[in-house]
């Protein structure tokens, strides 16, 4: 082997040692996705509230005093006229006794004057007394009759005051709160108990100023009550004309048309307004890519697992959901996680995917 051949072999070996290894193909990036589904007029946004009775009585004693008996507990079912609590009645009993004594005296005086007027009428006929004297006796009789009527009214007032020491339910219902304990001194008009009347049930919600038009324009409402299966149809019965001074929201009361016994007071409620048109599509907020004040979604081709970025317009955004005004259509599949790590045409791999999954719910 010549020196020239040997040098050539060394050069070839050096070049082979310095060459880079062949690039490995990029592994598909795993992604999660959802399939967009068309709405049915029910917006994805909801108003949180709770279930209350349409009529709730706020009961209080009409006189002040010390509570000596609490006769019901919260949650008790009461009938009309059933006693809920009692006040100490020592003072009212004494006052009633005094009024009745005065009434007895006034009635005795009236009887005496009625007997006298008969005698004086006979004396007047026999000219033993003057007409002026008889007139004075008639005036005394009229005064006695007035005193008796006043004493009777005072005795009735005392009896009423005695009855006010017992707090009773006006109508049948359920006791929702008791704000007095035995030994507590309450004043007249101080709230002591709340009784929710049996019958209609309502979902009470707080509506922000920006949502007033949507609530007013809704053709109906769908109410999801707690963890109960199914939904209830509702209708707007009342919308407060002015905002709450603290929360600056407007109270709305949605009457449940088909509420049954399973709908209990105090249950949580989600109220979905129903519009005339189809509701906008919704996606998890994590699916939206924001760049330079523009919004994008990554579409996933079901046949070739590659992603494509498309610009969309948002209708509105909540803490975890974005509603799409335009840019995509129902049936398209969008990526919901890792949107900042993708590029156009990149090959991806679905972790899991359920084409029938509800709108805006990330696959598990």
């Amino acid at each position: 082997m010549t020196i020239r051949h040997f040098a050539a072999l060394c050069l070839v070996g050096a070049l082979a040692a310095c060459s880079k290894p062949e690039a490995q193909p990029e592994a598909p990036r795993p992604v999660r996705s959802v399939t967009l589904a068309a709405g049915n007029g029910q917006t994805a946004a909801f108003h949180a509230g709770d279930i209350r009775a349409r009529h709730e009585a706020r009961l209080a004693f009409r006189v002040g005093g010390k509570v000596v008996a609490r006769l019901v507990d919260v949650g008790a079912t009461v009938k009309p006229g059933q006693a809920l609590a009692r006040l100490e009645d020592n003072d009212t009993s004494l006052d009633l006794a005094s009024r009745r004594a005065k009434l007895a005296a006034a009635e005795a005086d009236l009887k005496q004057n009625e007997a006298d007027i008969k005698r004086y009428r006979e004396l007047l006929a026999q000219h033993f007394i003057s007409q002026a004297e008889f007139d004075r006796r008639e005036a005394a009789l009229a005064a006695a009759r007035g005193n008796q009527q006043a004493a009777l009214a005072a005795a009735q007032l005392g009896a009423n005051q005695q009855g006010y020491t017992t707090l009773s339910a006006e109508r049948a219902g359920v006791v929702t709160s008791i704000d007095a304990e035995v030994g507590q001194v309450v004043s007249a008009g101080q709230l002591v108990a709340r009784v929710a009347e049996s019958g209609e049930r309502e979902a009470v919600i707080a509506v922000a100023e920006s949502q007033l038009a949507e609530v007013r324009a809704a053709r109906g409402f769908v109410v999801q009550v707690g963890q109960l299966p199914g939904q209830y149809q509702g209708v707007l019965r009342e919308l407060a004309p002015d905002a709450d001074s603290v929360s600056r929201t407007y109270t709305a009361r949605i009457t449940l048309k088909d509420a049954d016994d399973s709908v209990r007071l105090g249950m949580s409620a989600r109220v979905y307004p129903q519009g005339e048109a189809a509701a906008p599509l919704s996606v998890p907020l994590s699916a939206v890519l924001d760049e330079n004040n523009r919004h994008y979604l990554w579409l996933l081709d079901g046949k070739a697992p590659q992603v494509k970025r498309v610009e969309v317009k948002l209708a509105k955004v909540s803490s975890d959901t974005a509603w799409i005004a335009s840019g995509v259509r129902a049936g398209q599949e969008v990526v919901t996680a890792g949107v900042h790590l993708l590029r156009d045409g990149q090959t991806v791999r679905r972790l899991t995917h359920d084409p029938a999954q509800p709108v805006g719910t990330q696959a598990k």
Side-chain angles (χ1 to χ4, degrees):
M1 178 182 295
T2 63
I3 297 176
R4 182 179 298 177
H5 289 162
F6 179 75
L9 291 174
C10 292
L11 180 60
V12 171
L15 290 176
C18 295
S19 63
K20 295 183 179 180
E22 184 177 353
Q24 297 294 327
E26 182 181 9
R29 180 176 293 279
V31 297
R32 295 182 183 273
S33 63
V34 294
T35 299
L36 301 178
N40 60 354
Q42 174 180 316
T43 63
F46 65 86
H47 303 272
D50 59 351
I51 299 298
R52 301 183 191 175
R54 176 168 182 176
H55 302 287
E56 186 178 55
R58 299 163 58 91
L59 304 179
F61 287 105
R62 299 173 67 173
V63 294
K66 183 173 74 173
V67 179
V68 295
R70 170 177 160 171
L71 305 176
V72 295
D73 293 319
V74 174
T77 300
V78 296
K79 300 177 181 179
Q82 182 175 339
L84 307 179
R86 287 196 180 95
L87 296 179
E88 186 179 53
D89 61 355
N90 295 341
D91 293 342
T92 54
S93 296
L94 293 174
D95 180 68
L96 178 59
S98 174
R99 293 170 184 265
R100 286 176 173 171
K102 291 179 180 179
L103 173 60
E107 289 177 341
D109 185 55
L110 176 60
K111 290 181 180 179
Q112 182 62 47
N113 278 273
E114 288 175 343
D116 289 344
I117 200 67
K118 291 181 180 180
R119 290 192 293 270
Y120 279 99
R121 184 174 288 110
E122 294 174 357
L123 293 175
L124 178 64
Q126 298 176 10
H127 302 286
F128 289 126
I129 60 172
S130 64
Q131 183 64 43
E133 180 65 21
F134 182 79
D135 292 342
R136 283 195 294 272
R137 295 300 175 179
E138 280 193 327
L141 175 61
R145 185 175 290 112
N147 290 337
Q148 186 270 341
Q149 293 176 350
L152 177 61
Q156 292 175 342
L157 178 61
N160 291 342
Q161 296 291 317
Q162 177 80 358
Y164 295 156
T165 59
T166 299
L167 183 65
S168 301
E170 297 291 333
R171 299 180 183 178
V174 178
V175 178
T176 58
S177 71
I178 293 287
D179 298 327
E181 297 294 339
V182 174
Q184 179 180 346
V185 176
V186 297
S187 58
Q190 180 179 337
L191 179 63
V192 172
R194 286 187 176 92
V195 176
E197 297 180 13
S198 304
E200 292 185 80
R201 294 291 180 257
E202 296 181 333
V204 180
I205 59 176
V207 181
E209 183 177 354
S210 60
Q211 300 170 323
L212 282 176
E214 178 188 19
V215 171
R216 288 196 181 104
R219 58 182 173 86
F221 298 86
V222 172
V223 182
Q224 176 67 52
V225 180
Q227 301 299 319
L228 296 180
Q231 296 176 325
Y232 298 87
Q233 297 299 315
V235 60
L236 178 64
R237 183 183 69 83
E238 178 181 294
L239 181 60
D242 55 350
D244 182 85
S245 59
V246 178
S247 64
R248 308 308 303 168
T249 58
Y250 297 79
T251 300
R253 303 182 73 96
I254 311 299
T255 299
L256 275 61
K257 295 181 179 179
D258 48 356
D260 49 28
D261 293 339
S262 62
V263 179
R264 296 184 175 275
L265 299 174
M267 281 185 165
S268 62
R270 291 186 176 188
V271 178
Y272 298 84
Q274 291 182 306
E276 296 294 341
L281 301 173
S282 65
V283 296
L285 192 59
S286 60
V288 180
L289 173 64
D290 293 322
E291 287 186 358
N292 301 322
N293 295 324
R294 304 175 77 174
H295 312 290
Y296 302 90
L297 292 178
W298 290 101
L299 294 183
L300 189 63
D301 189 342
K303 297 179 179 179
Q306 295 182 343
V307 292
K308 176 184 179 181
R309 192 174 76 166
V310 295
E311 185 176 358
V312 296
K313 293 186 181 299
L314 302 183
K316 55 184 176 179
V317 176
S318 70
S319 60
D320 59 359
T321 306
W323 285 267
I324 310 302
S326 62
V328 291
R329 64 181 184 276
Q332 290 182 310
E333 186 179 354
V334 299
V335 176
T336 60
V339 296
H340 296 86
L341 304 175
L342 300 176
R343 66 177 186 275
D344 268 325
Q346 183 175 1
T347 301
V348 296
R349 174 174 58 86
R350 300 179 182 89
L351 290 179
T352 55
H353 173 68
D354 181 3
Q357 199 166 352
V359 179
T361 303
Q362 185 168 332
K364 296 182 179 179

